[in-house]
mmCIF file of all heavy atoms in Angstrom:
data_model
loop_
_atom_site.group_PDB
_atom_site.id
_atom_site.type_symbol
_atom_site.label_atom_id
_atom_site.label_comp_id
_atom_site.label_asym_id
_atom_site.label_seq_id
_atom_site.Cartn_x
_atom_site.Cartn_y
_atom_site.Cartn_z
ATOM 1 N N VAL A 187 2.979 1.628 2.678
ATOM 2 C CA VAL A 187 3.371 0.656 3.540
ATOM 3 C C VAL A 187 4.671 0.888 4.362
ATOM 4 O O VAL A 187 4.761 0.686 5.539
ATOM 5 C CB VAL A 187 3.549 -0.812 2.744
ATOM 6 C CG1 VAL A 187 4.058 -1.811 3.616
ATOM 7 C CG2 VAL A 187 2.120 -1.212 2.199
ATOM 8 N N SER A 207 14.252 7.345 -2.326
ATOM 9 C CA SER A 207 14.911 7.931 -3.537
ATOM 10 C C SER A 207 15.500 9.251 -3.243
ATOM 11 O O SER A 207 16.565 9.532 -3.135
ATOM 12 C CB SER A 207 13.924 7.970 -4.700
ATOM 13 O OG SER A 207 12.649 8.620 -4.291
ATOM 14 N N LYS A 211 12.583 12.853 0.550
ATOM 15 C CA LYS A 211 12.077 11.609 1.208
ATOM 16 C C LYS A 211 12.997 11.114 2.340
ATOM 17 O O LYS A 211 12.566 10.662 3.356
ATOM 18 C CB LYS A 211 11.873 10.472 0.197
ATOM 19 C CG LYS A 211 10.695 10.627 -0.775
ATOM 20 C CD LYS A 211 10.420 9.400 -1.683
ATOM 21 C CE LYS A 211 9.220 9.726 -2.561
ATOM 22 N NZ LYS A 211 8.841 8.591 -3.402
ATOM 23 N N HIS A 227 18.609 5.033 -2.872
ATOM 24 C CA HIS A 227 18.861 4.059 -3.902
ATOM 25 C C HIS A 227 19.356 4.821 -5.254
ATOM 26 O O HIS A 227 19.737 4.173 -6.167
ATOM 27 C CB HIS A 227 17.718 3.167 -4.183
ATOM 28 C CG HIS A 227 16.473 3.735 -4.635
ATOM 29 N ND1 HIS A 227 16.335 4.074 -6.017
ATOM 30 C CD2 HIS A 227 15.242 3.925 -4.134
ATOM 31 C CE1 HIS A 227 15.077 4.456 -6.080
ATOM 32 N NE2 HIS A 227 14.420 4.455 -5.120
ATOM 33 N N LEU A 308 4.819 -12.237 1.118
ATOM 34 C CA LEU A 308 3.583 -11.801 1.864
ATOM 35 C C LEU A 308 2.407 -11.604 0.768
ATOM 36 O O LEU A 308 2.471 -11.053 -0.273
ATOM 37 C CB LEU A 308 3.959 -10.347 2.273
ATOM 38 C CG LEU A 308 2.766 -9.525 3.011
ATOM 39 C CD1 LEU A 308 2.116 -10.200 4.062
ATOM 40 C CD2 LEU A 308 3.351 -8.237 3.593
ATOM 41 N N ASN A 359 5.014 9.991 -5.408
ATOM 42 C CA ASN A 359 4.315 10.140 -4.267
ATOM 43 C C ASN A 359 5.176 10.343 -2.873
ATOM 44 O O ASN A 359 6.227 9.751 -2.935
ATOM 45 C CB ASN A 359 3.241 9.030 -4.027
ATOM 46 C CG ASN A 359 4.038 7.704 -3.795
ATOM 47 O OD1 ASN A 359 5.007 7.422 -4.460
ATOM 48 N ND2 ASN A 359 3.540 6.907 -2.852
HETATM 49 N N1 LIG B 30 2.097 -8.310 -0.658
HETATM 50 C C1 LIG B 30 1.018 -7.546 -0.363
HETATM 51 O O1 LIG B 30 -0.053 -8.174 0.033
HETATM 52 C C2 LIG B 30 1.087 -6.210 -0.554
HETATM 53 C C3 LIG B 30 0.173 -5.304 -0.082
HETATM 54 C C4 LIG B 30 0.224 -3.896 -0.332
HETATM 55 C C5 LIG B 30 1.383 -3.462 -1.066
HETATM 56 N N2 LIG B 30 2.263 -4.363 -1.440
HETATM 57 C C6 LIG B 30 3.542 -3.906 -2.255
HETATM 58 O O2 LIG B 30 4.158 -3.050 -1.291
HETATM 59 C C7 LIG B 30 5.057 -2.092 -2.099
HETATM 60 C C8 LIG B 30 4.755 -0.710 -1.648
HETATM 61 O O3 LIG B 30 3.293 -0.394 -1.827
HETATM 62 P P1 LIG B 30 2.687 0.970 -1.394
HETATM 63 O O4 LIG B 30 1.313 0.875 -1.760
HETATM 64 O O5 LIG B 30 3.156 1.284 -0.143
HETATM 65 O O6 LIG B 30 3.377 2.028 -2.431
HETATM 66 P P2 LIG B 30 4.197 3.200 -2.149
HETATM 67 O O7 LIG B 30 5.433 2.707 -1.544
HETATM 68 O O8 LIG B 30 3.500 4.306 -1.590
HETATM 69 O O9 LIG B 30 4.582 3.778 -3.674
HETATM 70 C C9 LIG B 30 5.555 3.089 -4.377
HETATM 71 C C10 LIG B 30 6.989 3.599 -4.091
HETATM 72 O O10 LIG B 30 7.906 2.596 -4.525
HETATM 73 C C11 LIG B 30 9.227 3.237 -4.969
HETATM 74 N N3 LIG B 30 9.507 2.858 -6.342
HETATM 75 C C12 LIG B 30 8.693 2.993 -7.410
HETATM 76 N N4 LIG B 30 9.429 2.593 -8.478
HETATM 77 C C13 LIG B 30 10.569 2.244 -8.047
HETATM 78 C C14 LIG B 30 11.670 1.679 -8.642
HETATM 79 N N5 LIG B 30 11.885 1.498 -9.993
HETATM 80 N N6 LIG B 30 12.882 1.543 -7.961
HETATM 81 C C15 LIG B 30 12.730 1.654 -6.586
HETATM 82 N N7 LIG B 30 11.676 2.147 -5.893
HETATM 83 C C16 LIG B 30 10.578 2.449 -6.666
HETATM 84 C C17 LIG B 30 8.910 4.731 -4.806
HETATM 85 O O11 LIG B 30 9.609 5.118 -3.625
HETATM 86 P P3 LIG B 30 10.965 5.833 -3.658
HETATM 87 O O12 LIG B 30 10.810 7.062 -4.305
HETATM 88 O O13 LIG B 30 11.331 6.046 -2.222
HETATM 89 O O14 LIG B 30 11.885 4.930 -4.378
HETATM 90 C C18 LIG B 30 7.457 4.907 -4.629
HETATM 91 O O15 LIG B 30 7.071 5.959 -3.891
HETATM 92 C C19 LIG B 30 4.678 -2.458 -3.584
HETATM 93 O O16 LIG B 30 5.593 -3.170 -4.242
HETATM 94 C C20 LIG B 30 3.304 -3.134 -3.397
HETATM 95 O O17 LIG B 30 2.998 -3.912 -4.658
HETATM 96 C C21 LIG B 30 2.160 -5.664 -1.319
#
Side-chain angles (χ1 to χ4, degrees):
V187 174
S207 55
K211 289 189 181 185
H227 63 78
L308 174 55
N359 63 313

